[in-house]
Amino acid sequence: MKTKRILAASAGVVVAALALAGCSGGGGTGAPSAEAQTDSGGKITVWVDPPRVPAAEAFQEAYPDIEIDVVQIDGTVGGKTVKQSFANFDEAGSGWPDAIFFPSNDDIAWATNSTSNYAADLTDLLPEVIEGYDPAVLSFCEIDGKIRCLRNDAAPDVFWYNKAFFDENGYTLPTTWEEYGELAATIAEEHPGKISGFLGDAYAVNRYLQGSGCPTNDRVSETEAHIDLSDPACVRATELLTQMYDADALSTQGIFDGDAAEAGANLVMSPGAVWWGNYLFRDTWKIPAGQMSAVAPLTWEGESEPSTGNEGGGLWGVSSHIKGKQLENALTFATFVATDPAWQVDLSTGLPGYGPVQDPWLAKIEADEYFADIPTVQEAFKEAASAVKPYSYMLYDTGSVWTETVSPTLIAGGSVEEAIAAFGEELVNQAKSVGYTVQ
């Protein structure tokens, strides 16, 4: 068996990567021609954040004959270290890893633009793998009609609620977003302190604006973005949030705030990602077993299909700068981490993006015995994946703009309408600052 290495890289990621990454040749900036693609003879280098190290280790165990260097990188969402490393590689014309787990999903925007063109088009390279994804799950990887990455896990929003609270008080679950807003206001009046959502984290924009189909991340082309907070889909989401916020049914905190657990204990319902169940409710907020449950996403009045947002769900990319045995082994790695139960079922904590392994992963929920209605939760997770509204990852960071504008405006005494207006104005500014023409 060949020796395998896990190499840590944080602040020194550029140095480590230059020394260890697959040596793709061809100097100069931008994507090399097909003739400039290199073949190491089979050895590959992959970059992973700390939570994905077990995925790389599982691959090493499954494929002991593939020589591989695993570089552990800074996994900070929104961090600039990896992006800067790639800018250096693009300038040098060499040094790129052969495969990567992108620390931020937004990274796929720069990894596929014409300057870098790092992420390979997988459409014809992995057609059978691609076929196993629900199109809505893989839509984040489809750029200009090409599949440029693979989803690690799916993170659609379901509708979470405290079943114990609902049963005790005789409340009926909402089926539409409008009913959700009305019930949130009623519960806040009848049970002061109980809340029905959080507004202070970067994913809140996905829960509410994306969940309504509001065009904040509408990619027209590499250089054009469609942003329109006056769109009816944005207006209805703003009206919903206004109704709930004015009724004291929403918290300005974020779900990751240090003191969010206290507020979380008073959460009675909310749209939220499938990973909220184990990560937030069970492990972070310590909500007792047998209380929380989930149902399929809500529908907007006048529409026939449910509509929901998406909070995360990681992306794997493969280098466009390699060929031959090096490419073959990189594709084997990508296929494994995206589809193999040894990672996606046995070790991964998130709902697999790849459809055929979702049922075995969902079966683990039964053993946990945490949720109040396990079969309903399992079905809700599966249904939600196909209800996610279109949303493109862009060069601007929508979540950061949200956290910098919405909660601060509300805390300062502004209205939801004023907060959303400030968000939209700054979002357009950010989009223009990174080179987009905004429609």
Side-chain angles (χ1 to χ4, degrees):
M1 180 183 296
K2 294 182 175 66
T3 301
K4 312 297 194 300
R5 296 183 291 168
I6 306 288
L7 300 128
S10 53
V13 68
V14 177
V15 176
L18 284 170
L20 296 167
C23 298
S24 303
T29 61
S33 65
E35 292 73 18
Q37 292 175 313
T38 61
D39 183 359
S40 65
K43 181 178 179 179
I44 59 173
T45 296
V46 301
W47 284 15
V48 294
D49 65 350
R52 256 51 61 169
V53 168
E57 292 174 334
F59 174 79
Q60 291 174 327
E61 183 175 346
Y63 291 90
D65 293 331
I66 293 181
E67 189 174 0
I68 177 174
D69 279 327
V70 180
V71 179
Q72 182 175 311
I73 57 175
D74 178 11
T76 304
V77 175
K80 304 300 182 184
T81 308
V82 171
K83 182 178 180 180
Q84 184 57 54
S85 298
F86 272 74
N88 294 340
F89 300 153
D90 294 337
E91 179 66 26
S94 64
W96 306 276
D98 301 306
I100 185 174
F101 181 88
F102 292 108
S104 301
N105 286 0
D106 290 343
D107 290 339
I108 196 64
W110 57 257
T112 57
N113 66 20
S114 55
T115 301
S116 179
N117 197 31
Y118 164 77
D121 176 9
L122 303 175
T123 310
D124 296 326
L125 294 174
L126 296 175
E128 294 182 0
V129 173
I130 291 169
E131 189 177 348
Y133 283 92
D134 185 300
V137 174
L138 203 56
S139 64
F140 299 93
C141 289
E142 184 173 346
I143 300 172
D144 296 334
K146 301 175 181 179
I147 302 299
R148 304 294 293 271
C149 58
L150 297 176
R151 287 290 294 276
N152 180 71
D153 54 310
D157 284 345
V158 293
F159 191 74
W160 289 105
Y161 73 105
N162 189 313
K163 187 175 187 300
F165 175 85
F166 269 70
D167 290 348
E168 179 181 350
N169 293 281
Y171 291 121
T172 300
L173 274 175
T175 59
T176 68
W177 287 89
E178 289 81 1
E179 289 173 355
Y180 162 50
E182 293 168 4
L183 181 59
T186 297
I187 291 175
E189 180 180 2
E190 297 177 352
H191 302 271
K194 295 297 183 182
I195 60 172
S196 296
F198 287 83
L199 291 178
D201 56 275
Y203 285 135
V205 65
N206 302 98
R207 287 196 288 280
Y208 295 107
L209 269 59
Q210 182 192 359
S212 182
C214 173
T216 62
N217 286 53
D218 190 358
R219 183 184 186 276
V220 180
S221 71
E222 183 178 325
T223 58
E224 298 174 282
H226 172 220
I227 301 172
D228 183 6
L229 274 293
S230 68
D231 186 279
C234 307
V235 173
R236 68 183 180 184
T238 302
E239 291 174 347
L240 172 73
L241 294 176
T242 297
Q243 178 185 24
M244 292 194 291
Y245 184 74
D246 289 349
D248 293 325
L250 294 175
S251 171
T252 56
Q253 291 179 282
I255 59 173
F256 304 115
D257 288 357
D259 54 355
E262 182 177 352
N266 287 306
L267 183 73
V268 294
M269 60 179 176
S270 176
V274 295
W275 50 260
W276 278 30
N278 289 344
Y279 175 76
L280 276 187
F281 302 145
R282 186 188 67 186
D283 299 339
T284 305
W285 293 349
K286 310 298 183 184
I287 296 175
Q291 292 192 15
M292 303 305 297
S293 188
V295 292
L298 303 175
T299 303
W300 289 95
E301 287 182 0
E303 298 181 1
S304 59
E305 299 295 330
S307 177
T308 198
N310 178 89
E311 302 182 35
L315 309 178
W316 294 98
V318 174
S319 175
S320 66
H321 306 314
I322 54 177
K323 64 180 180 179
K325 192 65 176 178
Q326 188 175 357
L327 175 59
E328 179 184 331
N329 287 343
L331 293 173
T332 299
F333 174 82
T335 299
F336 177 89
V337 293
T339 71
D340 199 288
W343 160 243
Q344 287 290 356
V345 177
D346 297 344
L347 299 174
S348 182
T349 58
L351 174 70
Y354 185 65
V357 292
Q358 287 181 348
D359 283 341
W361 184 92
L362 288 167
K364 298 196 301 182
I365 292 177
E366 299 173 16
D368 290 342
E369 297 183 342
Y370 175 73
F371 299 115
D373 187 346
I374 292 172
T376 301
V377 171
Q378 291 171 317
E379 188 61 29
F381 282 12
K382 291 188 69 173
E383 289 185 30
S386 60
V388 173
K389 300 295 286 185
Y391 184 92
S392 297
Y393 293 118
M394 312 290 279
L395 293 174
Y396 53 86
D397 187 343
T398 310
S400 292
V401 176
W402 178 274
T403 59
E404 291 164 3
T405 54
V406 174
S407 280
T409 300
L410 296 174
I411 293 171
S415 67
V416 168
E417 187 172 301
E418 290 170 332
I420 297 298
F423 163 74
E425 181 179 353
E426 182 58 23
L427 194 66
V428 169
N429 291 339
Q430 289 288 328
K432 290 180 177 179
S433 73
V434 293
Y436 288 106
T437 299
V438 178
Q439 296 184 3

